[in-house]
Amino acid sequence: MLPDITTRINNLSKALESVIIPAIGEDESFAAEQAALMLGHLKILNEQWDNAYLYEKGSFDNMAALAHTLVNLAKGGSHNLTKAQHLAHALTELPCDLPLTVTGVSKLTAQLGQAIDELVRSAYAAGSTEFKSAMFKEILNYNHCQSTRERTWFKSNNLDPDVRDLPDMDEMLNSFLYIYKNIED
Amino acid sequence: MTTRALQQNNHRPDLIEPRMAYVLQRKLQRSKLGPYRPKTASDIEQSLTRLLSARSMSDIAISGVKRMTGGASKEQFLFTLTHKEQSKPQRYVLRMDPLEGIVETCRLREAELLEALAGHFPVPPILAVDGEGEWLDNPGLITGFVSGVTKPTAMDGQSVSGIGSSYGHYADIIAPQFLDILVRLHSWKGWQNAALPNYVIPKANTTEAALYQVNLWSEIWRLDGVEPVPLITLTEQWLRENAPVCAEPCLVHCDYRVGNFMFEEPSGRITTILDWELAHFGDFHEDLSWILQKLFGSWNAEGKFLVCGLMEREKFIADYQRLSGRSILPEVLRYYEVLNAWKCAIMDLSSAIIAGQRSNNHQDLLITWLGSAGAVFLDQIEKLLREDTSNAA
């Protein structure tokens, strides 16, 4: 068996804690601060790496569901047609089988996000009140699911004042509560 | 007069301060010079000597150059200086821009403002500024060292950039000073006679105060954006559509919070207000809503949330109104809460991440750590916008 990622991250942390940090002189506060940040990043990396694909896949699913919803909401309206068609086209261009890498999935998420951005801008420039209102509500609903996932993904950073409200990593990754459900045709 | 803008007035691309537009473009160019290597003490001595010589100082002796920790946006060094006209050693602080950071600001503007505020507010004195990095290699500002601490030395559990700090028994001593300085800042009229050529004053009784900020931060998102975030784009549109009228623009600090002032121990007297880099002329609600952000607060032993670790929200709002004679408009306060959360999300989700990706900061590890808080602000925006759904479209 080859050394796995968890083992190597743990070894990195141990070397930092037991050898490198004690060797940093008292007047080297910048080096000490950097070392402490390295330890913090390593701890979070250890929590994340094995779930990274599942996490990115969930982010993609949420963005794709939002794209489907907005396309459906735009149907029947005379405004936003071009940008809605563009978004619908972006959905049809998605591969049948998703890439198997975090980077590959993330790239597809970003492509859909670009098309959604264009539709949002177009709606505010010339969209109907009804469409804007429905789009507004659905982006907030999407954000609720997705930002909870993102906050949970980084809950160990100690920067979230409402960390007590967050699920644990497994629940966030596997519960339907954090999956944005698109509005069907 | 209505506090809401008419939709046709909200797309005014001309409303961006020229100096800030220039600084953003300059950053774009400088970002290509990376990766950034943190400066050594020797680098700093040489750079300082070049700058101070250019300021006609002679017999310059620089010693004790020491990097200051923290600081996610500027590289900061403490040093001791003597020169021909100053034989007694004095300590100074150099604040210098890395190639890019979590926020891009202007040392020239900061220096102009500190000059204007000197004698009126507790601000550090200026020794020299290098607005374009002609002598320092990077834009930088040298100010006098002011004694004090940003957090009680005896308290533990403090985190990066002072965020999440608690003041313990100092809270009751510091809170009235914190409010008094803020109130005086917002009523300060000295800017009318000050030399502030790199600032623009928004027109009174218009939506310009808000739109200058929306334009600036949407441009930053456009230039630094890493990947699309639907709520960021939606919020920009909402901010344009709901921009409030500002009756009387005033100077706003815009980073007035825990960690950005120094006080003496054990007296608790505030000695300096730091980090004026985000200051501009705008709506006083913008400062208030920044201060009220949850990220900058902490919980006391009784489980009550304290604004900036100092006082409860209701007391902060009531005391500000009583001391300033101003009325805080809840609708405008909420608007600026949205705007500030949006600004923070942009800093975290674009500038911090792209600077880290390009290794262009002296604190790559810190800014990517801070960048991981982006979703905290998205969550705040969502909650605030849900309160305003009836006005959304």
Side-chain angles (χ1 to χ4, degrees), chain A residues 43-58:
Chain A
K43 181 188 171 210
I44 295 181
L45 282 170
N46 222 358
E47 293 168 357
Q48 292 175 334
W49 77 265
D50 203 18
N51 295 312
Y53 187 80
L54 196 53
Y55 173 75
E56 285 299 335
K57 167 78 168 47

Side-chain angles (χ1 to χ4, degrees), chain A residues 1-12 46 49-50:
Chain A
M1 179 186 168
L2 293 168
D4 63 30
I5 295 174
T6 297
T7 302
R8 284 183 289 147
I9 290 176
N10 286 338
N11 292 348
L12 285 165
N46 222 358
W49 77 265
D50 203 18

Side-chain angles (χ1 to χ4, degrees), chain B residues 26-45:
Chain B
R26 184 180 69 183
K27 170 186 150 168
L28 204 58
Q29 295 307 312
R30 281 166 42 82
S31 72
K32 296 169 187 163
L33 303 174
Y36 186 70
R37 304 283 178 211
K39 301 288 185 191
T40 64
S42 169
D43 295 335
I44 294 302
E45 276 185 30

Side-chain angles (χ1 to χ4, degrees), chain A residues 27 29-30 33-34 40-41 110 113-114 117 124 132 136 140-141 143-144 150-151 154 157 159 162 164, chain B residues 7 66-67 69-70 228 231 233 237 241 294-295 299 362-363 365 368-369 372 375 378-379 382 386 392:
Chain A
D27 57 343
S29 53
F30 185 50
E33 187 183 66
Q34 294 291 294
H41 276 290
Q114 293 283 6
D117 274 0
Y124 270 81
K132 279 165 58 184
F136 189 92
L140 295 189
N141 290 341
N143 187 77
H144 179 71
E150 293 174 5
R151 289 165 58 209
F154 272 110
N157 65 10
L159 291 173
D162 295 317
R164 290 171 291 190
Chain B
Q7 189 172 351
K66 185 173 168 54
R67 179 183 287 276
T69 55
L231 190 62
T233 307
Q237 306 308 315
E241 199 161 85
K294 261 190 163 179
L295 183 68
W299 304 84
H362 61 295
Q363 286 267 31
L365 286 170
T368 48
W369 188 272
S372 71
L378 296 179
D379 178 65
E382 179 208 321
R386 282 192 194 280

Side-chain angles (χ1 to χ4, degrees), chain B residues 112-330:
Chain B
E112 283 172 10
L113 191 58
L114 290 177
E115 291 278 16
L117 294 173
H120 304 284
F121 293 91
V123 294
I126 292 176
L127 178 69
V129 60
D130 183 1
E132 297 299 323
E134 197 174 345
W135 295 277
L136 295 171
D137 294 333
N138 301 308
L141 172 67
I142 303 172
T143 59
F145 175 78
V146 181
S147 62
V149 293
T150 56
K151 55 193 176 189
T153 49
M155 298 192 69
D156 43 33
Q158 314 289 353
S159 58
V160 291
S161 288
I163 293 168
S165 293
S166 298
Y167 290 97
H169 77 278
Y170 283 111
D172 290 342
I173 305 168
I174 292 170
Q177 301 172 70
F178 181 82
L179 259 171
D180 171 67
I181 293 168
L182 183 69
V183 166
R184 286 197 292 116
L185 186 69
H186 290 169
S187 60
W188 182 63
K189 303 282 189 229
W191 58 268
Q192 292 168 342
N193 302 313
L196 297 167
N198 285 299
Y199 287 83
V200 172
I201 318 292
K203 284 192 190 125
N205 296 313
T206 72
T207 57
E208 284 191 7
L211 293 179
Y212 268 107
Q213 295 309 302
V214 177
N215 284 345
L216 173 67
W217 290 94
S218 57
E219 179 67 358
I220 291 169
W221 180 250
R222 191 181 71 77
L223 294 172
D224 290 351
V226 179
E227 62 181 38
V229 177
L231 190 62
I232 294 284
T233 307
L234 183 77
T235 305
E236 179 191 336
Q237 306 308 315
W238 183 91
L239 288 166
R240 293 188 185 285
E241 199 161 85
N242 293 280
V245 169
C246 176
E248 187 185 9
C250 63
L251 180 63
V252 285
H253 180 285
C254 271
D255 201 10
Y256 195 79
R257 63 163 171 88
V258 57
N260 273 348
F261 60 84
M262 297 181 82
F263 63 97
E264 284 175 343
E265 291 182 309
S267 73
R269 184 180 70 88
I270 291 180
T271 55
T272 324
I273 305 296
L274 302 166
D275 283 1
W276 293 83
E277 60 182 312
L278 289 165
H280 57 265
F281 290 88
D283 191 312
F284 71 92
H285 291 87
E286 190 176 357
D287 258 346
L288 302 187
S289 61
W290 185 264
I291 293 162
L292 291 168
Q293 287 192 87
K294 261 190 163 179
L295 183 68
F296 303 142
S298 57
W299 304 84
N300 68 9
E302 290 79 45
K304 289 179 179 166
F305 184 78
L306 301 180
V307 174
C308 283
L310 293 172
M311 67 196 102
E312 290 178 48
R313 179 184 170 109
E314 293 70 25
K315 179 171 170 51
F316 174 81
I317 288 174
D319 284 0
Y320 178 87
Q321 291 190 125
R322 179 175 54 78
L323 292 167
S324 68
R326 294 173 188 264
S327 294
I328 298 173
L329 302 175

Side-chain angles (χ1 to χ4, degrees), chain A residues 116-155:
Chain A
I116 289 171
D117 274 0
E118 288 172 18
L119 178 57
V120 171
R121 290 195 192 95
S122 153
Y124 270 81
S128 68
T129 303
E130 293 75 19
F131 177 73
K132 279 165 58 184
S133 179
M135 177 184 72
F136 189 92
K137 182 180 156 206
E138 289 308 319
I139 290 179
L140 295 189
N141 290 341
Y142 155 84
N143 187 77
H144 179 71
C145 296
Q146 186 57 23
S147 70
T148 305
R149 296 181 78 254
E150 293 174 5
R151 289 165 58 209
T152 306
W153 189 240
F154 272 110
K155 70 188 288 187

